[in-house]
Amino acid sequence: MGQLLILHGPNLNLLGLREPGVYGRLTLAEINQKLEQAAAASNLSLRIYQSNHEGALIDHIHEARTWANGILINPGAYTHTSYALRDAIVAVGLPTVEVHLSNIHAREPFRHESKLAAACLGQISGFGWYSYILGLHALRQHLEA
Ligand code: CA2
């Protein structure tokens, strides 16, 4: 049994409503439902949050120190800018996987760099909603090993 923090960053609350060609047709609630199904099958429990605010995301990472075994995060555009999120991940020391719906390396040059990736176990990018499921399994495997 493990407990994971699932964090969705800015604008991901709009999933399914706009830009389905880039981010897919599923809403955030539908992605969360798929995560819950995958977690139940793997004997994991999840606490899931979305925020459009960098500080709120950092607060969730800090709190995770007291209860979580790992973190799965889609930092949205903060991926490319936030040294503060990277520092928070390093500070709590929890195994963290970075996920993206789109393949950030095949998009605009500013999306090719992640400020967080080096602080994470790894990065999964480009598989749509399934990136989250791959990330969850990667964390589970890490926790079991
Ligand atoms: O591909 C991803 O998961 C991203 O993290 C999504 C971010 C983007 O800034 C990253 O470079 C890659 C953007 C999320 C925006 O979500 C929207 C959803 C619906 C409509 C518009 C934006």
Side-chain angles (χ1 to χ4, degrees):
M1 177 70 170
Q3 305 194 99
L4 304 184
L5 169 64
I6 311 291
L7 271 186
H8 305 286
N11 297 310
L12 290 163
N13 53 310
L14 299 179
L15 281 178
L17 309 178
R18 309 188 60 170
E19 298 198 59
V22 182
Y23 298 120
R25 294 194 179 282
L26 295 195
T27 64
L28 194 62
E30 289 167 334
I31 291 176
N32 289 341
Q33 210 175 2
K34 289 193 179 287
L35 277 166
E36 291 286 12
Q37 285 166 1
S42 292
N43 207 23
L44 295 165
S45 75
L46 308 180
R47 293 189 200 176
I48 306 179
Y49 302 98
Q50 186 275 331
S51 179
N52 295 317
H53 304 278
E54 191 174 14
L57 294 166
I58 291 167
D59 288 343
H60 286 305
I61 292 170
H62 288 180
E63 281 163 24
R65 215 170 19 132
T66 63
W67 63 267
N69 304 108
I71 301 173
L72 185 66
I73 182 169
N74 182 345
Y78 288 138
T79 304
H80 319 298
T81 62
S82 182
Y83 294 110
L85 275 172
R86 177 207 167 101
D87 283 350
I89 290 166
V90 172
V92 300
L94 288 168
T96 299
V97 173
E98 177 184 319
V99 300
H100 298 284
L101 296 153
S102 62
N103 179 354
I104 59 173
H105 304 285
R107 300 185 63 194
E108 305 96 317
F110 78 87
R111 296 188 202 274
H112 296 180
E113 192 192 354
S114 168
K115 304 292 189 202
L116 280 62
C120 296
L121 289 177
Q123 181 195 69
I124 296 166
S125 179
F127 297 95
W129 64 267
Y130 200 65
S131 289
Y132 284 93
I133 306 300
L134 291 169
L136 183 134
H137 287 310
L139 259 183
R140 177 181 53 88
Q141 166 65 28
H142 175 83
L143 293 172
E144 283 174 5

